[in-house]
Amino acid sequence: MPERNPILITGAAGEIGGVSRTMVDMPLEQGHPVRAFVRQDDERAHSLRQVGADVFVGDLLTIADVTTARPLVSRKVAEGLGSV
């Protein structure tokens, strides 16, 4: 089976306004690769790595960070917006 492109999830650390760990855990449990976009490389990011997410640390307001995080993703799940 060919390797699938990851689903990019922003707000993945789940702080106020974030999508919460549930949105990361659900696709991982179904075997989908996940790239978790977080603002800080802290214990929450470490926890996401432990469950199998590819963690990208960046700022959604910085176009270079968004562009770097996005290559080869199959879809993006943004905070509160659903899949886009």
Side-chain angles (χ1 to χ4, degrees):
M1 173 184 270
E3 189 172 318
R4 292 182 282 183
N5 293 334
I7 298 168
L8 177 63
I9 300 178
T10 63
E15 198 56 32
I16 296 172
V19 296
S20 86
R21 268 291 293 278
T22 303
M23 292 302 295
V24 174
D25 291 340
M26 286 173 42
L28 285 172
E29 289 169 359
Q30 296 174 11
H32 298 283
V34 169
R35 178 168 296 153
F37 195 122
V38 299
R39 193 170 28 162
Q40 297 176 9
D41 194 2
D42 57 16
E43 66 278 348
R44 293 170 296 165
H46 176 71
S47 175
L48 291 167
R49 286 186 188 97
Q50 286 186 312
V51 297
D54 170 28
V55 174
F56 180 86
V57 180
D59 185 340
L60 283 173
L61 299 178
T62 304
I63 193 68
D65 289 349
V66 175
T67 302
T68 302
R70 186 148 164 62
L72 302 177
V73 298
S74 60
R75 76 181 78 148
K76 177 179 179 271
V77 178
E79 312 179 16
L81 297 178
S83 183
V84 289

